[in-house]
């Protein structure tokens, strides 16, 4: 790695950027909200939706050139076709926005022992549970943004909540990534996808009873099947 390298970390869930990478010019985090499943090496089925959000995570500079960071990402992804690309100036908000989908829909699909998204949105009880988990996630997200010094206009709310439900309503029988791991008995990324959000809620003293139950069930399934 050299000083003018740019590192992009693109994940479907929250990850930690390695601090050693900040020796480079910039480290960007990417949040992928794409209905895609890997069928085989080099074969990805992109069945619906398409939004990739990128944000600056760390930089070797003093962060003063925010416009240049944004333009670098826009230039990189402009040639891409098939999904929307969005640059978010606030990586914390971007990560929590992705969690508004990951935690309820990935979570319920696994806790129910492997069901598709259409079954969640079309069942009245599970749909309400998804709404409840979204509400809990928003509460944690906004408290996290608050203590990090972000202004109220950066907070998440009803607009993001309904956008996630509308997106899910149109997905059809999508199989979430962690559900596929469970069904195929592959290691599940429980710590990063689920547990970290609950731990953060506990640190901030924000109650998340429904999310906590979901994560407890998912962790039990992980233990039962040895999916580490």
């Amino acid at each position: 790695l050299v000083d003018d390298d740019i590192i992009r970390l693109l994940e479907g869930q929250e990850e930690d950027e390695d601090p050693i990478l900040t020796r480079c010019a910039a480290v960007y985090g990417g949040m992928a909200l794409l209905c895609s499943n890997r069928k085989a090496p080099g074969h990805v089925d992109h069945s619906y939706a398409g939004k990739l959000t990128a944000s600056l995570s760390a930089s070797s500079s003093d962060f003063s050139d925010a416009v240049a960071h944004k333009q670098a990402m826009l230039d990189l992804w402009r040639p891409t076709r098939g999904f929307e690309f969005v640059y978010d100036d606030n990586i914390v908000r971007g990560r929590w926005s992705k969690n508004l989908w990951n935690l309820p829909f990935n979570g319920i699909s696994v806790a129910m022992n492997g069901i598709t998204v259409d079954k969640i949105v079309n069942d009245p009880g599970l749909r309400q549970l998804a709404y409840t988990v979204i509400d809990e996630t928003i509460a944690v997200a906004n408290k996290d943004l608050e203590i990090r010094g972000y202004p109220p206009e950066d907070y998440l709310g009803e607009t993001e909540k309904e956008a996630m439900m509308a997106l899910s309503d149109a997905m059809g029988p999508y199989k979430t990534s962690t559900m596929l791991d469970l069904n195929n008995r592959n290691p599940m990324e429980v710590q990063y996808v689920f547990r970290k959000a609950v731990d953060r809620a506990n640190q901030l003293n924000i109650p998340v009873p429904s999310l906590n139950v979901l994560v407890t069930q998912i962790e039990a399934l992980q233990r039962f099947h040895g999916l580490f």
Side-chain angles (χ1 to χ4, degrees):
L1 299 178
V2 296
D3 289 343
D4 60 352
D5 281 338
I6 293 176
I7 305 298
R8 296 168 298 276
L9 303 175
L10 305 178
E11 298 291 343
Q13 63 280 329
E14 180 179 343
E15 296 283 357
D16 286 330
E17 287 82 8
D18 189 337
I20 199 171
L21 295 179
T22 59
R23 294 180 300 183
C24 303
V27 179
Y28 294 88
M31 288 66 68
L33 189 57
L34 305 169
C35 287
S36 57
N37 297 133
R38 184 171 57 192
K39 299 293 187 179
H43 179 198
V44 176
D45 177 28
H46 181 200
S47 58
Y48 179 76
K51 181 179 179 181
L52 176 65
T53 302
S55 301
L56 177 68
S57 175
S59 172
S60 58
S61 72
D62 61 1
F63 291 85
S64 61
D65 200 359
V67 174
H69 286 303
K70 178 177 181 178
Q71 194 59 49
M73 285 291 96
L74 293 175
D75 290 344
L76 176 68
W77 292 100
R78 184 178 290 113
T80 304
R81 298 291 183 269
F83 57 83
E84 177 186 6
F85 175 76
V86 177
Y87 186 85
D88 194 326
D89 293 322
N90 186 332
I91 193 170
V92 178
R93 178 181 59 200
R95 286 171 169 169
W96 280 115
S97 294
K98 180 62 197 298
N99 274 334
L100 294 188
W101 193 88
N102 257 352
L103 295 174
F105 293 101
N106 227 338
I108 294 171
S109 73
V110 176
M112 290 293 295
N113 208 31
I115 62 172
T116 51
V117 170
D118 60 321
K119 289 182 169 57
I120 298 172
V121 297
N122 290 321
D123 179 84
L126 294 180
R127 186 181 184 89
Q128 182 55 55
L129 177 58
Y131 268 127
T132 300
V133 174
I134 293 174
D135 285 337
E136 293 179 357
T137 305
I138 288 174
V140 182
N142 289 344
K143 186 63 177 180
D144 194 28
L145 288 164
E146 177 189 347
I147 68 165
R148 293 174 187 265
Y150 292 107
E153 52 264 32
D154 280 4
Y155 295 177
L156 304 176
E158 288 296 313
T159 298
E160 291 79 13
K161 171 181 174 179
E162 293 303 330
M164 288 300 169
M165 190 58 74
L167 177 70
S168 304
D169 280 334
M171 282 184 183
Y174 176 62
K175 299 176 181 179
T176 70
S177 59
T178 317
M179 167 203 165
L180 288 173
D181 288 337
L182 174 65
N183 289 348
N184 294 325
R185 297 299 188 259
N186 292 325
M188 298 196 302
E189 295 179 287
V190 176
Q191 175 65 24
Y192 278 114
V193 181
F194 303 108
R195 172 49 60 184
K196 286 188 70 174
V198 175
D199 289 346
R200 188 60 176 153
N202 291 337
Q203 292 168 1
L204 298 172
N205 293 316
I206 302 295
V208 287
S210 296
L211 177 59
N212 190 58
V213 169
L214 278 183
V215 175
T216 298
Q217 290 175 293
I218 293 165
E219 289 173 334
L221 286 169
Q222 184 182 44
R223 290 192 300 270
F224 292 162
H225 299 294
L227 305 181
F228 295 95

